[in-house]
Structure formats: C-alpha cells, structure tokens
Amino acid sequence: TFPLSARARTQTQGADESERGSVAAAEGSRSAAGERMTRLVTTAPSAGAMRGFRFASCRCANAGRPPRREGHRGVATRALVSENSGLQKLTSVVESQQFDRAMLEDLFEVTREMERITNEDGECKLLSGKVMGTLFYEPSTRTRLSFETAMCRLGGKVVSTENAREFSSVAKGETLEDTIRTLEQYVDMIVLRHFQAGSARIAADAASVPLVSAGDGPGQHPTQALLDLYTIQKELGRIDGTKVALVGDLANGRTARSLAYVLSKFDQVKLYFVAPDVARIGEDIKEHLSENNIAWEEADDLASVAKEVDVLYQTRIQK
C-alpha cells in the first residue's frame, strides 16, 4: 500500500490533463514509496484503539517542540492500518476498482495524519533511503510534481523523466515492459503516466516493484480520484447521500471515470452526467453504477442540474 497525503484545496477550474475536472489540487502528495509500501503513519492512539494494528515508526523534525512521548526523540508516529485492511495486500495502483469502502476510509485516516505531518512537523524520514522513479509519457506539471513532492516530504529521493515518449529508449523501439524492467533496477517504486488506456496494468504486471498509475490515456486516473473523493469528504463532511454532477468530456476524461467508480462504493450517492452526445460517459461506467444500485442520469442542461447537486466536477474537452 502507499501513504496518501495531500494538502488539498478546493478548485473551481480544471488543471493539466491529469487534473481536468479535479475539485482539488495536491500541494502535498498522493503517494510515496516503501519496500512493501505498507508503512502508513499516524500518531499513537489509545491502547484500545491499537489492538490488531501494525506498528511502524517515523522520526520527523519537530521544529524545537518537545517529544510527544517520554523516551522518544523527535516525533514518533505509528502505523494505523489494520492487519485485516485490504490496504495491506495492495502493491500497485492501476484502477479505482481496486479499492473498497473500508480501504478508502482507512486511507482517509492516514491522509489526515499526513496533512498534520506536512503542516506541523516538517520533514519526515519514513522513506529515507528509498528512490521513486517518475516515468511520464505525457506532459504534466501538477501530477508529476505532487508525486515528487510527496516522496521528498517523506524523506525519499526521486529520479524522473518528464517526456519519456521522446527522450527515452521507447524512441528506439523499446517496449513499455522492457522500460519498466530496466527502471525497476534503479528504484523502489515507479509512477507511470502513459498515453494508452490499459498501459498501467501492462506495466504493473511486468514490474517487480510497486507501480502507481498517474493516468493512462482515456482509461483511468485512480490517485486523482482518491484525492477528489477525500476532498469531497473533507469539504462536505460526508460522501454518503451526496449528489455529484460530472460535466464536460466524459467520453475521454479519465478523472471522471475513476471518480465514478470510487463514488459507487458509498451509499445513496447520485451521479449526473452532463455532456453533449459526442462526449457521453461510457456504457461500462453506467453498467457498473446500475449493478451497484447507484442512481444516475444523463442531462445536457447544466443550469438545471446545478440546482440539484452538492458537487460540480468540471472537465474540459480532451485533445
């Protein structure tokens, strides 16, 4: 599993291709690496609350504040991921369907603590000695930098290529699988942005280190959906019972597809798909929602839908 930390803020405009339609931008981080990616941190709760939880420690700078527990230097934090949590079995992240509700709620607990660490405690050394490789075949600013910032704030290091489509051995005919097998010799984790749907799954199957998708063509962008979902919960105080309008190029917008999947894990959610005929959401998404008893409807009048919803998720026309 991977720590999801984000200093998130609500946005009303779109971002680069990975953030199109995002309701939040990450100033913190979406993910960070570890040997098994299972060390998620939080401050130590009561003894009763810790039954059945795995422990890990992280030494963080505390800006001169006294240690929180006698006998510890710096700030001691502990893992708060149940042994039974699905997060313990998660190695790579390639699609939103990998997450169930319990996993999402566990992840949100970690996110809140990671926000506290980045806001109050300075640099954390949890991933000291680990290296993350960011392999981007498409242009990106916010997504790539947010991943890299995450790794730095957790004490790790980053190697990066921001235009692998042109400045890598793929230009010489190397396959994606071979590129992954080469890169994994240098790093402990890979973050991949690719222009073809399904490429993240292909890369993850070839990799022997954890791989996180940062978007694969018109397919999915799971970490963006996690951040968007967390922001909705943070801003509204709930996800159950929310009405969300997904607006724009829903046929090609990967963020909207991923968000629809994770919203389907919650109760009494209703989705409105507002798009012209040529940009309607895919039938696979509608079938998934119907199978999971999630109400949805399509519309072309944004003004009428806006009166009914709690969240407007705006995307742009994809190139």
Side-chain angles (χ1 to χ4, degrees):
T1 63
F2 65 98
L4 173 91
S5 72
R7 189 180 302 157
R9 63 174 182 270
T10 301
Q11 288 193 326
T12 57
Q13 70 276 8
D16 72 355
E17 184 169 347
S18 69
E19 271 74 1
R20 301 297 192 253
S22 173
V23 294
E27 290 177 352
S29 68
R30 294 189 179 84
S31 64
E35 184 172 347
R36 286 187 60 233
M37 309 295 280
T38 59
R39 298 297 187 254
L40 308 187
V41 298
T42 185
T43 51
S46 65
M50 285 306 299
R51 292 192 189 99
F53 286 79
R54 176 175 300 180
F55 285 79
S57 63
C58 169
R59 297 178 59 81
C60 307
N62 69 351
R65 291 186 293 276
R68 300 189 176 189
R69 297 190 60 188
E70 190 172 347
H72 287 265
R73 295 180 181 177
V75 177
T77 58
R78 296 173 183 266
L80 190 58
V81 178
S82 168
E83 295 287 351
N84 297 322
S85 172
L87 293 178
Q88 296 286 4
K89 300 176 182 179
L90 193 66
T91 53
S92 292
V93 177
V94 298
E95 60 186 9
S96 294
Q97 296 95 307
Q98 292 176 260
F99 295 87
D100 59 27
R101 177 169 180 153
M103 294 166 69
L104 293 168
E105 291 175 344
D106 287 346
L107 204 54
F108 291 169
E109 286 296 319
V110 178
T111 303
R112 282 187 277 271
E113 181 57 20
M114 299 306 285
E115 286 186 301
R116 187 200 62 76
I117 288 174
T118 56
N119 287 332
E120 299 176 8
D121 292 335
E123 186 179 10
C124 174
K125 298 298 183 183
L126 181 65
L127 297 181
S128 178
K130 301 298 181 182
V131 179
M132 178 179 75
T134 51
L135 182 63
F136 277 57
Y137 288 82
E138 288 185 324
S140 173
T141 302
R142 280 157 287 272
T143 298
R144 184 172 61 86
L145 293 182
S146 65
F147 272 108
E148 294 177 0
T149 300
M151 192 62 177
C152 292
R153 286 187 171 174
L154 292 173
K157 292 181 167 54
V158 176
V159 293
S160 179
T161 176
E162 60 181 304
N163 192 356
R165 194 172 187 175
E166 182 176 353
F167 299 113
S168 77
S169 292
V170 71
K172 306 173 186 177
E174 183 174 84
T175 65
L176 175 61
E177 294 93 327
D178 283 343
T179 298
I180 294 298
R181 294 186 187 108
T182 300
L183 181 57
E184 69 183 14
Q185 304 303 311
Y186 312 137
V187 302
D188 302 286
M189 170 192 176
I190 298 170
V191 178
L192 174 69
R193 159 72 66 81
H194 204 273
F195 52 87
Q196 290 182 340
S199 57
R201 171 59 65 189
I202 292 171
D205 289 344
S208 62
V209 299
L211 183 142
V212 175
S213 172
D216 59 345
Q220 285 205 44
H221 195 337
T223 58
Q224 183 66 54
L226 295 175
L227 179 59
D228 294 337
L229 190 70
Y230 175 68
T231 302
I232 293 172
Q233 195 279 332
K234 184 177 180 180
E235 293 296 322
L236 299 181
R238 60 184 170 82
I239 299 174
D240 289 332
T242 56
K243 296 180 179 180
V244 180
L246 305 182
V247 185
D249 186 357
L250 306 183
N252 301 298
R254 57 192 169 206
T255 59
R257 291 174 53 82
S258 290
L259 183 57
Y261 277 121
V262 291
L263 283 169
S264 72
K265 309 301 181 183
F266 293 83
D267 298 329
Q268 297 181 320
V269 170
K270 182 171 182 179
L271 298 182
Y272 296 81
F273 301 120
V274 185
D277 290 339
V278 295
R280 298 286 191 190
I281 195 76
E283 291 297 323
D284 59 328
I285 299 294
K286 292 184 281 189
E287 290 174 4
H288 172 81
L289 296 175
S290 296
E291 289 171 0
N292 288 272
N293 299 315
I294 299 298
W296 60 271
E297 66 178 72
E298 292 184 299
D300 52 19
D301 183 3
L302 177 58
S304 62
V305 170
K307 301 174 184 178
E308 303 293 330
V309 301
D310 303 295
V311 178
L312 277 173
Y313 191 86
Q314 179 70 54
T315 70
R316 69 162 179 85
I317 298 299
Q318 303 294 316
K319 292 184 179 180

